[in-house]
Amino acid sequence: MSEQPAPALTPVSAQPAGPAGVPAEAPSASPHAGPLPENVAAALKRDSAGLVAAVVQQFDTNEVLMLGWMDDEALHRTMTTGRVTFYSRSRQEYWRKGDTSGHVQWVKSVAMDCDGDALLIRVDQVGAACHTGTRTCFDGRELQVSTASTGTAGQAI
Amino acid sequence: MSEQPAPALTPVSAQPAGPAGVPAEAPSASPHAGPLPENVAAALKRDSAGLVAAVVQQFDTNEVLMLGWMDDEALHRTMTTGRVTFYSRSRQEYWRKGDTSGHVQWVKSVAMDCDGDALLIRVDQVGAACHTGTRTCFDGRELQVSTASTGTAGQAI
């Protein structure tokens, strides 16, 4: 089901293993077993660190705000609390968007892609999504490219 | 500059190391040295497989079409040819979107995010972006969530 075992993560809080009435994975010592519905856990294709990419999009304008990373527990929290929670690859800890900045992401919907290695989280973003203060993490960060229509600085094929 | 060395990839085609007039990295035996402008190569934060996540978005509707993976060479081809090229993690090879299906992605712009581990590729998508035939890889694949506004199946906090 997953490409690699999830990393040993710090113990999570006292949340129950799964919401009432939602099927849970069979009890296991695996760190990523438990919190997600069984069909979701089975469909996820995690990377070697136990993570999937989560694209965050503003629900009404369709802006792509940022990309973060989620393990099973972060996705569980995102699906059940109304707020987006990520797993930080650099700090190796969970972080809930907005707890420090106030720039909360209210969850509108979550979808998994066709091969299970990416999530699309549609949200209502309060304020700036980027820690640098820009609305999205991609604003003002365009690279120079050649396009087929303009053909600048390169040859379209 | 990168978190980990890039994997040993199959040799690329006879494309030049970089477009004329674009600064290239200093010559090196590293598999990911060469094709990208030095400032872009320096800013990229690749995962342990030498890859970054690439979010593909329809340029005029802002739909998120799919998420793929790029190493330096795939990004170079995307920036210089007018067509989106990915690196397949499962097949461990380059693939240019549309070569098999005809569902070409014409590049409109490329942006790197604030911490260099994600790309936003805005394109004009021909036909379905998903190999399953749906317009996007997320269509019809929503997970059941609770949201702060509705509070279904869980408690918002």
Side-chain angles (χ1 to χ4, degrees), chain B residues 98-123:
Chain B
D99 278 354
T100 303
S101 63
H103 296 164
V104 170
Q105 292 174 338
W106 298 107
V107 175
K108 294 290 186 177
S109 66
V110 176
M112 186 189 304
D113 79 348
C114 55
D115 58 4
D117 72 346
L119 301 164
L120 181 62
I121 317 292
R122 291 171 62 85
V123 305

Side-chain angles (χ1 to χ4, degrees), chain B residues 16-60:
Chain B
V22 175
E25 287 189 307
S28 162
S30 169
H32 65 252
L36 292 174
E38 188 173 1
N39 61 333
V40 176
L44 278 180
K45 287 186 187 162
R46 307 161 189 83
D47 68 11
S48 59
L51 305 174
V52 295
V55 181
V56 183
Q57 182 182 36
Q58 175 66 26
F59 81 103
D60 49 2

Side-chain angles (χ1 to χ4, degrees), chain A residues 15 21 25 27 36 47 55 61 65 70 89 114 119 122 126 148:
Chain A
Q15 291 187 324
E25 287 189 306
L36 292 174
D47 69 9
V55 181
T61 64
L65 299 169
M70 293 187 184
R89 300 193 301 179
C114 55
L119 301 164
R122 291 170 63 85
V126 175

Side-chain angles (χ1 to χ4, degrees), chain A residues 79-80 96 110 143 146 157, chain B residues 79-80 96 110 143 146 157:
Chain A
M79 291 171 65
T80 57
R96 191 170 65 163
V110 176
L143 308 181
S146 58
I157 57 177
Chain B
M79 291 171 64
T80 57
R96 192 170 65 163
V110 176
L143 308 181
S146 58
I157 56 176

